Structures are given as structure tokens and as C-alpha cells.
Amino acid sequence: QVPLVESGGGSVQPGGSLRLSCAASGRIYDLGTMGWHRQAPGKERELVAQISRDGTTNYKDSVKGRFTITRDNAKKTVYLQMNSLKPEDTAVYYCYLDSVGYYTEHDVPVAVRGPFWGQGTQVTVSS
């Protein structure tokens, strides 16, 4: 397991902004594709945005132009800047990582395929 700690959720009015962060921890030397999914009540979990090692991004159509995903490999962190938020963006947002390379306590490099998930952070957009 790879611990992924999320932060930055909360409540905001329509048109407002939030920035989500997700940090991986451990003796990591390689991070694969990172991204965010979300799940609204009564709906299936869906991909919001993802970013590969080389910075290639992919977005759900409804968030294009409003959300921006970035990553800082040195900090082992992925960010989701959410602007012009709408009530339909209300959901629990989950960070994920599709693969990781890390060193064991005996300094042995290990590559593991995920996905690995964060605990989720609530985003509520309401007036």
C-alpha cells in the first residue's frame, strides 16, 4: 500500500474555487499516472482528471477549462485547481496513483502496480 493523503476539500459557493492536494509518502523513486476521481451520492465514481509522468493531461469534458491538474514529482504531490465551481461538481474527490516504485527497508527497489486510492475529500458547491 502507498499512503495518499488528500487535503483542500470544503464548501464553496457556485463560481468559487478550491485547490485539492494529494501527497504520497514513503521512499518513492517513481510515480506513475496520478489523478482524481469523484463520486456523487447515488452515482458511480468517475474520472475527473489525470496526469502522466511526462505531464500529459486528460480531463472529463465537463471540467475542461475550469479544472487544472498539475504534479510536483519532487514533493510526490498532485494538485487539482478547481475554478468556476458548479453545484454538479459536488462529490467526494479521490486521489489515485496507478503505479509506484519504492525502496524497501533493505534498500531493494520494488515496482508495484495499483491503483492506490486516497481516503477521499468532500467538495460541496452550494449557495
Side-chain angles (χ1 to χ4, degrees), residues 16-27:
S17 298
L18 286 173
R19 188 192 194 209
L20 306 182
S21 300
C22 173
S25 62
R27 302 179 65 205

Side-chain angles (χ1 to χ4, degrees), residues 24-81:
S25 62
R27 302 179 65 205
I28 293 171
Y29 65 85
D30 178 64
L31 289 168
T33 295
M34 304 182 77
W36 297 88
H37 282 67
R38 69 186 181 189
Q39 187 166 20
K43 295 187 177 181
E44 294 186 353
R45 190 175 296 193
E46 61 181 8
L47 173 67
V48 177
Q50 65 181 34
I51 183 167
S52 64
R53 286 185 187 86
D54 65 2
T56 301
T57 58
N58 180 42
Y59 295 93
K60 176 180 175 60
D61 284 345
S62 64
V63 308
K64 288 180 180 177
R66 300 189 297 121
F67 291 10
T68 302
I69 188 169
T70 57
R71 62 190 284 167
D72 184 331
N73 291 326
K75 294 182 178 180
K76 298 176 285 188
T77 300
V78 63
Y79 305 95
L80 185 67
Q81 178 65 45

